[in-house]
Amino acid sequence: MGKPSDLVQGTLDLLILRTLAIEARHGWAIAKRIQQISGEVLQVQQGSLYPALHRLEQQGWITANWAESETGRRAKFYELTAAGREQLEKETEIWKRLSGAINLVVQEG
């Protein structure tokens, strides 16, 4: 049986982009937000999060700037770019089609 905290392959980018759609956040806050919104089901490990953030930054979908966090520490804050917002829309549509198709198979199969 799979672990409930495992992310469906390929969904981490979508979750990060969605989390950053509202406001800029640092890495820990991104992981915590995904965990909270998912009802504690999804837990993004640092070993997965930071490579994904770097990949998204390389693709030009997010930018990063150093700033002071809510605890007074310096942290790297990530925010969506215009290209990132377009990518978020594309990935959201793909996810809706895919999850809808899976639901049909699960319910009818």
Side-chain angles (χ1 to χ4, degrees):
M1 176 181 276
K3 294 178 281 183
S5 61
D6 287 345
L7 289 174
V8 176
Q9 190 172 5
T11 59
L12 181 56
D13 290 0
L14 172 61
L15 297 176
I16 292 171
L17 292 174
R18 182 66 188 125
T19 301
L20 293 174
I22 299 170
E23 63 182 342
R25 295 175 194 268
H26 52 75
W28 183 85
I30 293 168
K32 192 67 178 171
R33 182 70 178 161
I34 292 170
Q35 185 176 345
Q36 288 172 336
I37 294 296
S38 71
E40 308 291 327
V41 174
L42 301 175
Q43 296 178 6
V44 182
Q45 303 301 318
Q46 289 186 5
S48 299
L49 178 65
Y50 288 101
L53 288 169
H54 182 72
R55 186 177 57 253
L56 294 172
E57 193 175 4
Q58 292 291 310
Q59 292 170 319
W61 296 340
I62 62 174
T63 59
N65 295 298
W66 288 96
E68 190 171 304
S69 72
E70 61 280 357
T71 61
R73 293 184 175 177
R74 286 187 51 79
K76 203 171 187 180
F77 281 74
Y78 300 90
E79 64 181 321
L80 277 185
T81 64
R85 290 195 185 282
E86 289 178 19
Q87 187 63 26
L88 173 59
E89 289 180 24
K90 290 177 189 172
E91 294 211 18
T92 300
E93 287 305 312
I94 292 168
W95 174 253
K96 286 178 181 176
R97 278 198 332 256
L98 178 63
S99 62
I102 292 171
N103 278 337
L104 287 173
V105 173
V106 169
Q107 293 171 2
E108 300 294 326

